[in-house]
């Protein structure tokens, strides 16, 4: 067990982008952090940066779409860091294909990473989360899951993740676990379509697209004790773009 006791966070997609920044913010809040990414080298890079700053962190290279891998990860994190109190599902993929260009294999891959993996990990860590002084599940959806979007596999997967988020309230009923999602708009990450970035900024009331810090700050709030009354929600973070406009 670490000196952090029950305060241990698992962050997927921690190898870079929003996942790495989220891991950093949770570390600053005093949590030990398990950095999970399919790219083990990237996960180790983030964990090393956290350890260098005095944050207890370990790295795991895991295919989170595998049921057996999710179970093994739960056991490993529990052994290495202790009881998990926070699960933050950041990892996701975007395939920029329309209906005619999306084959069944691509569809399944997007669904597996964006929906099935958060389900499997929540299932694997459920006992830890329920036993924690207070538990948090935070899913990274997308504004695309709240409305129609031109890439159907991605939009459908994020809509499903939003529904999964609210549906999990029944499984954690009567516990101190809350389940929430954030739904970012266009953001400066490897997923960004840089060719369209200026157009997206012009269609955003704040005049700019998101930085990962904008979203990680909301995740940091949801991870804390003061968010205990927030449960089953999806917070759209896009500078107001999807409220009044469309990026298209």
């Amino acid at each position: 067990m670490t000196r952090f006791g029950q305060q241990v966070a698992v962050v997927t997609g921690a190898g870079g982008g929003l996942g790495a920044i989220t891991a950093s913010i949770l570390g600053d809040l005093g949590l030990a952090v398990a950095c999970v990414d399919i790219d083990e080298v990237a996960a180790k890079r983030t964990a090393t940066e956290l350890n260098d700053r005095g944050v207890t962190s370990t790295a795991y290279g895991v295919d989170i779409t595998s049921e057996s891998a999710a179970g093994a990860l739960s056991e490993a994190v529990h052994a290495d860091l202790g009881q998990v109190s926070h699960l933050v599902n950041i990892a996701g993929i975007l395939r920029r294909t329309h209906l005619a260009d999306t084959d069944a294999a691509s569809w399944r891959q997007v669904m597996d990473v964006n929906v099935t993996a958060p389900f499997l990990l929540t299932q694997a860590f459920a006992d830890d989360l329920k036993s924690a002084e207070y538990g948090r599940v935070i899913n990274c959806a997308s504004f695309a899951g709240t409305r129609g979007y031109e890439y159907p596999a991605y939009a459908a997967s994020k809509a499903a993740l939003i529904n999964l988020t609210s549906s999990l309230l029944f499984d954690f009923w009567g516990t101190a676990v809350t389940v929430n999602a954030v739904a970012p708009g266009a953001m400066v990450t490897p997923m960004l379509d840089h060719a369209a970035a200026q157009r997206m900024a012009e269609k955003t009331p704040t005049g700019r697209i998101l930085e990962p810090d904008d979203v990680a700050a909301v995740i940091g709030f949801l991870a804390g004790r003061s968010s205990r009354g927030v449960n089953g929600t999806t917070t759209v973070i896009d500078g107001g773009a999807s409220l009044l406009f469309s990026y298209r």
Side-chain angles (χ1 to χ4, degrees), residues 197-210 238-241:
Q198 182 58 38
R199 172 173 57 81
M200 291 176 175
E202 291 169 354
K203 288 195 169 191
T204 302
T206 55
R208 67 179 184 89
I209 59 177
L210 300 174
D238 65 356

Side-chain angles (χ1 to χ4, degrees), residues 75-95:
E75 294 177 3
V77 175
H78 198 114
D80 294 341
L81 295 175
Q83 182 184 37
V84 170
S85 56
H86 293 62
L87 172 62
V88 187
N89 293 301
I90 302 291
I93 58 172
L94 167 61
R95 295 281 183 258

Side-chain angles (χ1 to χ4, degrees), residues 94-99 142-156 158 185-186 191 193 200 246-248:
L94 167 61
R95 295 281 183 258
R96 289 186 172 87
T97 56
H98 298 94
L99 177 65
S142 168
F143 85 99
T146 68
R147 57 195 296 131
Y149 190 55
E150 61 184 312
Y151 306 124
Y154 183 74
K158 293 303 186 178
M191 277 190 184
D193 180 0
M200 291 176 175
S246 166
Y247 287 131
R248 295 189 66 191

Side-chain angles (χ1 to χ4, degrees), residues 15-16 39-50 59:
D39 183 345
E40 187 172 7
V41 173
K44 286 181 177 179
R45 182 169 57 244
T46 300
T48 298
E49 291 172 357
L50 293 179

Side-chain angles (χ1 to χ4, degrees), residues 9-242:
V10 174
V11 181
T12 70
L18 176 60
I21 293 175
T22 296
S24 179
I25 282 184
L26 296 181
D28 290 342
L29 291 175
L31 282 77
V33 183
C35 297
V36 180
D37 202 287
I38 195 167
D39 183 345
E40 187 172 7
V41 173
K44 286 181 177 179
R45 182 169 57 244
T46 300
T48 298
E49 291 172 357
L50 293 179
N51 283 314
D52 288 346
R53 288 170 34 212
V55 176
T56 299
S57 182
T58 53
Y60 305 87
V62 178
D63 175 4
I64 55 175
T65 66
S66 163
E67 184 175 5
S68 60
L73 175 66
S74 174
E75 294 177 3
V77 175
H78 198 114
D80 294 341
L81 295 175
Q83 182 184 37
V84 170
S85 56
H86 293 62
L87 172 62
V88 187
N89 293 301
I90 302 291
I93 58 172
L94 167 61
R95 295 281 183 258
R96 289 186 172 87
T97 56
H98 298 94
L99 177 65
D101 306 315
T102 305
D103 60 26
S106 296
W107 173 274
R108 292 190 189 100
Q109 183 186 36
V110 172
M111 290 294 174
D112 282 349
V113 175
N114 293 355
V115 187
T116 303
F119 166 77
L120 291 174
L121 291 172
T122 305
Q123 190 177 56
F125 286 103
D127 288 343
D128 266 18
L129 293 163
K130 290 176 181 178
S131 299
E133 181 181 352
Y134 69 97
R136 298 287 184 265
V137 179
I138 304 169
N139 295 320
C140 186
S142 168
F143 85 99
T146 68
R147 57 195 296 131
Y149 190 55
E150 61 184 312
Y151 306 124
Y154 183 74
S157 71
K158 293 303 186 178
L161 183 58
I162 288 170
N163 194 284
L164 175 64
T165 297
S166 56
S167 296
L168 286 172
L169 269 59
F170 295 96
D171 289 277
F172 291 109
W173 196 286
T175 73
V177 179
T178 62
V179 189
N180 293 286
V182 293
M187 180 168 49
V188 182
T189 69
M191 277 190 184
L192 177 66
D193 180 0
H194 290 277
Q198 182 58 38
R199 172 173 57 81
M200 291 176 175
E202 291 169 354
K203 288 195 169 191
T204 302
T206 55
R208 67 179 184 89
I209 59 177
L210 300 174
E211 296 290 339
D213 308 65
D214 299 323
V215 180
V218 178
I219 293 173
F221 165 71
L222 292 173
R225 292 176 183 270
S226 58
S227 68
R228 61 187 178 274
V230 182
N231 198 15
T233 68
T234 294
T235 302
V236 176
I237 310 165
D238 65 356
S242 62

